[in-house]
Amino acid sequence: MSPTAMPPNFAAALTKVSLVGQNKTAVVVGGTLGIGAAVARLLAKLGCKRIIILGRDENRGTAMLETMKKLAPADSRLEVAFVWGDLSDTKGMRAAALALREAAGPAGIDYLIMTQNGVPKGFLVPNADGHDTGFAIQALSRVALSYLLTKQGGLAPNAILMSIANQGNSLDDLSVDDLSLKVRAAAGESQTALFMNQSKRDSTVLDSFIEEFNTRYPAYRFFHLWPGLVNTENFTYDEVPGYIKYMMWLGMQLIGTTPDKYAPLPVYVHATQTLGSGMYFDYKLNPGKLGKWAGDVKNRKALWPVLMEIIGEGGSE
Ligand SMILES: NC(=O)c1ccc[n+]([C@@H]2O[C@H](COP(=O)([O-])OP(=O)(O)OC[C@H]3O[C@@H](n4cnc5c(N)ncnc54)[C@H](OP(=O)(O)O)[C@@H]3O)[C@@H](O)[C@H]2O)c1
């Protein structure tokens, strides 16, 4: 569907859509809070058959299960599950992939929606593998979950994968030997500069992986959506360094929205599957593009084996 043919109001368009009877299984990673929780609520409301959410907060997770059951139409016979998982390191990512595959059962996952993590920090916090923890959750865990679930038979035929995160930014001088940006941090880059570069790095790595994934696994479709600015339950400007805090505040006034108002966009993609061949979209579902680094096939080819090594799949194609 061309952008001009997009409905002006996705929430209104979804009032004519029902998932009842389609027997779909959705997994929302990061579904305990924020955008992921709103996506899970809306899928329940539309009658999705099975919804599995993954996060670390068991209380919020189990409360979400009750909320989804209340929202579901009676004839959807909704089945819900909370899967505990911590995606901060490779061990946690691999355990989460396994737990999700088991929770989904033999039919597999139809919709894999990844919304884990929040904003970068502007400093490095090493994880158990020595990588930056924010990067691990934001980018590496999306690589690990999508790759492992694909290779290990966790996805249903024609599954749709989706990452909701910054899209289209480029860290033009990214080195595949320094994905955690340790060299920059050691060189004394300011917190503000490192924050911006972490954000660009996450977008660069995710775009590159998703582009490469779509080429290698054409049986599935993997979308990457930039959500704009969404004022989630835990959103705070406190941890945002320097002038970026003011830019973000202004951005929130101009284009900011709430999780429940944003959720119809990603859910529209899953429920209607009418976005044509594009894989990248902005906060209004206008088509997006790859940034400069990710747009270069040589970079993507160099990155792939490095990512495979990090997620414990070294030597895999
Ligand atoms: N909100 C925005 O304005 C905005 C703008 C641009 C991009 N984004 C991106 O959009 C995505 C969703 O953002 P959001 O604002 O909805 O985030 P959020 O409200 O902070 O929610 C993040 C979710 O990720 C889960 N999570 C965090 N760390 C985790 C870990 N180590 N293991 C497993 N789950 C973990 C959290 O669950 P638990 O606490 O239960 O683990 C929570 O469900 C993020 O990737 C964010 O970077 C957001």
Side-chain angles (χ1 to χ4, degrees):
M1 183 183 274
S2 74
T4 47
M6 287 288 198
N9 182 332
F10 293 97
L14 283 176
T15 59
K16 301 184 190 80
V17 172
S18 168
L19 293 172
V20 175
Q22 293 191 24
N23 204 25
K24 298 289 186 196
T25 296
V27 165
V28 187
V29 183
T32 56
L33 200 64
I35 295 171
V39 166
R41 286 193 291 270
L42 186 50
L43 285 168
K45 214 167 151 185
L46 289 183
C48 190
K49 176 77 179 95
R50 197 171 301 111
I51 305 175
I52 300 161
I53 60 172
L54 183 137
R56 294 161 305 171
D57 191 316
E58 203 147 2
N59 290 335
R60 278 201 298 249
T62 44
M64 266 296 294
L65 302 187
E66 291 312 308
T67 304
M68 289 191 288
K69 283 190 219 158
K70 282 189 196 132
L71 289 168
D75 55 353
S76 71
R77 300 176 196 277
L78 173 66
E79 295 164 19
V80 287
F82 168 69
V83 170
W84 186 92
D86 185 346
L87 302 166
S88 320
D89 59 25
T90 300
K91 193 173 164 210
M93 295 169 203
R94 295 185 71 90
L98 186 61
L100 287 175
R101 186 155 59 93
E102 282 173 5
I109 299 162
D110 296 284
Y111 307 145
L112 176 64
I113 303 155
M114 294 177 283
T115 67
Q116 59 269 36
N117 203 31
V119 289
K121 296 205 173 318
F123 51 87
L124 303 191
V125 182
N127 71 1
D129 312 311
H131 301 292
D132 181 36
T133 307
F135 174 55
I137 305 166
Q138 183 78 0
L140 297 176
S141 76
R142 293 171 201 229
V143 170
L145 293 180
S146 45
Y147 183 82
L148 294 170
L149 287 166
T150 301
K151 294 299 270 192
Q152 296 172 359
L155 300 180
N158 305 316
I160 298 181
L161 300 88
M162 178 180 286
S163 163
I164 298 180
N166 284 0
Q167 192 283 317
N169 303 138
S170 179
L171 186 57
D172 291 346
D173 60 352
L174 179 66
S175 161
V176 297
D177 298 323
D178 185 30
L179 293 177
S180 284
L181 308 185
K182 290 179 186 173
V183 174
R184 285 165 192 272
E189 199 165 63
S190 72
Q191 190 186 357
T192 309
L194 199 54
F195 178 100
M196 291 302 283
N197 288 330
Q198 286 174 327
S199 174
K200 286 184 197 164
R201 179 270 324 273
D202 293 345
S203 175
T204 303
V205 169
L206 281 171
D207 273 352
S208 302
F209 173 73
I210 291 167
E211 180 72 6
E212 198 59 24
F213 181 98
N214 278 318
T215 310
R216 288 170 185 247
Y217 303 105
Y220 307 112
R221 286 190 294 161
F222 198 155
F223 294 98
H224 199 193
L225 270 57
W226 174 54
L229 284 165
V230 182
N231 203 347
T232 57
E233 300 91 318
N234 278 9
F235 185 86
T236 166
Y237 298 100
D238 294 348
E239 291 174 7
V240 181
Y243 68 90
I244 304 168
K245 196 186 305 255
Y246 303 103
M247 279 170 55
M248 227 180 222
W249 180 86
L250 187 62
M252 193 64 91
Q253 311 309 307
L254 295 173
I255 64 161
T257 187
T258 65
D260 287 307
K261 284 190 180 145
Y262 173 68
L265 281 73
V267 170
Y268 182 87
V269 176
H270 289 280
T272 68
Q273 303 190 23
T274 50
L275 282 182
S277 57
M279 295 295 166
Y280 308 106
F281 295 93
D282 76 1
Y283 72 108
K284 290 182 172 173
L285 285 191
N286 294 312
K289 284 193 202 138
L290 292 177
K292 187 176 166 195
W293 197 99
D296 185 336
V297 67
K298 283 199 302 302
N299 289 333
R300 297 199 302 270
K301 299 278 177 228
L303 179 65
W304 185 272
V306 176
L307 293 176
M308 291 303 116
E309 188 70 39
I310 293 175
I311 65 164
E313 292 290 303
S316 306
E317 264 309 300

